[in-house]
Amino acid sequence: DASVQESGSSDSTAPSGSVTINNNATSTTSLAVTLNLAATDSQGVTAYYASSSAGTPAVCDSGWVANFSSTSSFSNNAAHTLSDCTGAVYVWFKDRAGNISSQASDSIQYTDSTGPSGSVQINNGASSTSSTSVTLNLSATDTCGVTSYYASESSSTPSANASGWVSVTSTSSYSANVSYTLSSGSGTKTVYVW
């Protein structure tokens, strides 16, 4: 009896690749962008993974998008939605053997032209108070983050550099209960918040 073991070669070389956003544009007014993807691998690029997080994905993560043609030279334009206003995108490529490329990345400046939307209640919606010291229940949302608020009994919109703005930690969904002092004298008081 004679036997022979066939020696095979295993692929341990990861793909190399690159990404640009909107054909290398420097800015966008939309969170919906196009990723221009390119990668090479001698055994074939089988998938790519795009994220706003810089952490390398696992081979089995659900975010991998399959390249069914599995070509050694891969290029594709893929729709992508930026998850925040930093405009950074990180991409990895995978080959048949499950080797994952080094991170490729690009960023684009997102220009936000839409102001936050918000609401205010005084003392949780109470209809009356005997004190000029009240609590404003504030709530606001914005794609790029709410960074400050301005409260006044005047309905005149404040300028962006007015001294009454109160800075808050930037967040896309802001809510807080803040102290406010109403003007003296009895009668209906209206508080405006921006």
Side-chain angles (χ1 to χ4, degrees):
D1 288 341
S3 63
V4 65
Q5 183 171 350
E6 183 180 12
S7 64
S9 63
S10 61
D11 178 13
S12 61
T13 304
S16 61
S18 65
V19 59
T20 60
I21 302 171
N22 288 354
N23 293 314
N24 219 18
T26 57
S27 64
T28 180
T29 58
S30 173
L31 290 173
V33 296
T34 299
L35 303 182
N36 315 113
L37 306 169
T40 58
D41 184 86
S42 61
Q43 303 300 313
V45 178
T46 59
Y48 71 88
Y49 188 103
S51 175
S52 61
S53 172
T56 303
V59 171
C60 58
D61 276 357
S62 62
W64 288 99
V65 177
N67 166 31
F68 295 105
S69 60
S70 184
T71 60
S72 59
S73 182
F74 168 78
S75 65
N76 189 30
N77 290 331
H80 182 77
T81 302
L82 300 174
S83 63
D84 57 38
C85 295
T86 62
V89 177
Y90 304 92
V91 176
W92 296 263
F93 300 91
K94 184 171 62 170
D95 66 13
R96 289 180 196 276
N99 298 311
I100 297 175
S101 72
S102 297
Q103 173 194 100
S105 65
D106 194 19
S107 61
I108 191 167
Q109 178 64 47
Y110 171 67
T111 304
D112 180 15
S113 58
T114 304
S117 61
S119 65
V120 60
Q121 283 189 327
I122 302 172
N123 290 348
N124 293 312
S127 59
S128 65
T129 181
S130 59
S131 173
T132 56
S133 296
V134 296
T135 299
L136 302 182
N137 315 112
L138 305 177
S139 177
T141 59
D142 185 78
T143 303
C144 288
V146 177
T147 59
S148 57
Y149 69 86
Y150 186 105
S152 173
E153 287 183 60
S154 168
S155 62
S156 299
T157 302
S159 65
N161 58 359
S163 62
W165 287 99
V166 177
S167 295
V168 300
T169 301
S170 180
T171 178
S172 59
S173 183
Y174 172 76
S175 64
N177 296 322
V178 299
S179 298
Y180 185 80
T181 303
L182 298 170
S183 59
S184 60
S186 56
T188 301
K189 309 289 182 179
T190 303
V191 178
Y192 302 88
V193 178
W194 294 264

